[in-house]
Amino acid sequence: MRIENSFVPAEGIGEGRERSLWESGILTWDEFDPARAPLGPKTGAQVESFVAEALERLDDGDARYFGERFPSGEIWRFYENFRNEALFFDIETTGLDAAREDVTTVSVTRGGDTTTLIRGADLTGETLREQFRDAPLVVSFNGKQFDVPFLEDNFDVSIDAPHLDLMFPCRRVDLTGGLKSIEKEVGIDRDRPDLSGRDAVRLWYRYERDGDDDALDTLVSYNRDDTENLQNLADVVTRRLHDDSLGAVCGEPCGIPDPTA
């Protein structure tokens, strides 16, 4: 599913009317014609107006415009368009309370490259703002409730790009539980499946208290695994959502590769 397959941002269009457009053979904005759309004149004019503006905004790569127009539950539709430019991120902390605990590491994966920022070294508000500055789409797992509040409280940064929090689309395709259990269920491997978030806290304190560089290396590796696996999980989940929506209506293939194939 691509942004230009989506009509739900247009006024008067819900999932039912969008589906009727697809069933009539109107699969993209370029194919929209009010004269043959199964819509009334008023709604047809509203969709035509939306399409005219949206095509220009998409040409400009204006992801924030679409972030404001799309229902929050449909941000997954951005993924195929912005997959190569998306920023995948994950943090480790000393606990669960953003007001009292510290962020220890932040890993960011973009364009196949991963950067890990470390507390006391290069993890600062400035370096975070630089990492997130021009991302058209950010991707996390439970990041809206956990990672983002920690980063904004600890570093006075604002993460305002459209945010695909994979925890919610995972639930739509019956993938529940934590990140690691979902990875296992869909066949995504990691180097250290024995490590958990509690281990990450202990590893940080071993490094901070004892100067144990091996503990820090293990923590960084764990954090990087979390981040790098997010792209594989996003590939799996958005393919399934595509198959349940546009693919189910017209058999249109998904343009995202299957990482488990």
Side-chain angles (χ1 to χ4, degrees):
M1 172 85 77
R2 296 180 61 84
I3 291 176
E4 56 266 38
N5 297 124
S6 303
F7 294 91
V8 287
E11 188 175 351
I13 300 294
E15 291 186 14
R17 282 184 166 176
E18 179 182 65
R19 188 181 184 93
S20 71
L21 287 170
W22 293 341
E23 289 172 342
S24 71
I26 300 172
L27 304 183
T28 68
W29 298 338
D30 284 329
E31 296 170 337
F32 183 77
D33 179 356
R36 69 183 186 93
L39 304 171
K42 180 180 178 180
T43 304
Q46 291 169 335
V47 174
E48 189 172 34
S49 176
F50 162 72
V51 165
E53 182 174 12
L55 283 168
E56 291 185 10
R57 297 289 189 135
L58 189 59
D59 284 344
D60 292 339
D62 189 352
R64 283 168 173 74
Y65 165 80
F66 295 108
E68 294 171 356
R69 295 296 299 262
F70 271 66
S72 61
E74 301 302 322
I75 298 298
W76 68 271
R77 300 180 186 218
F78 291 29
Y79 183 67
E80 187 171 341
N81 293 76
F82 295 113
R83 179 176 179 269
N84 293 334
E85 305 160 76
L87 182 149
F88 304 84
F89 73 103
D90 182 75
I91 73 172
E92 301 302 334
T93 70
T94 57
L96 303 178
D97 186 344
R100 298 173 53 194
E101 307 290 352
D102 296 320
V103 180
T104 57
T105 62
V106 178
S107 285
V108 170
T109 296
R110 191 171 183 188
D113 295 324
T114 301
T115 299
T116 301
L117 306 174
I118 301 170
R119 178 177 175 79
D122 52 3
L123 177 52
T124 66
E126 182 179 355
T127 56
L128 285 170
R129 282 188 283 272
E130 181 63 29
Q131 290 290 331
F132 282 88
R133 180 167 290 125
D134 62 347
L137 176 69
V138 299
V139 184
S140 71
F141 187 92
N142 196 29
K144 287 186 176 180
Q145 297 180 49
F146 187 77
D147 302 62
V148 168
F150 257 98
L151 294 178
E152 293 186 339
D153 285 356
N154 278 247
F155 299 100
D156 191 29
V157 297
S158 178
I159 299 173
D160 57 2
H163 187 165
L164 174 57
D165 186 333
L166 290 171
M167 185 173 72
F168 302 104
C170 277
R171 290 175 180 173
R172 287 179 59 175
V173 294
D174 297 322
L175 294 171
T176 59
L179 175 61
K180 293 160 195 64
S181 64
I182 291 174
E183 287 174 356
K184 184 175 181 180
E185 183 173 347
V186 301
I188 296 172
D189 297 325
R190 59 172 50 224
D191 290 338
R192 292 292 303 272
D194 55 313
L195 294 178
S196 68
R198 291 181 180 178
D199 294 312
V201 175
R202 287 194 288 268
L203 288 165
W204 174 257
Y205 283 127
R206 279 172 49 193
Y207 164 70
E208 186 179 52
R209 181 187 62 240
D210 304 328
D212 187 339
D213 289 336
D214 288 340
L216 179 61
D217 289 344
T218 302
L219 172 60
V220 168
S221 176
Y222 171 77
N223 188 205
R224 292 170 73 90
D225 266 358
D226 277 354
T227 307
E228 291 168 356
N229 280 352
L230 286 175
Q231 179 160 346
N232 288 331
L233 181 59
D235 288 350
V236 169
V237 172
T238 52
R239 282 178 60 87
R240 292 189 183 186
L241 288 168
H242 169 93
D243 291 343
D244 288 344
S245 53
L246 182 63
V249 173
C250 61
E252 186 79 2
C254 182
I256 299 169
D258 182 354
T260 63

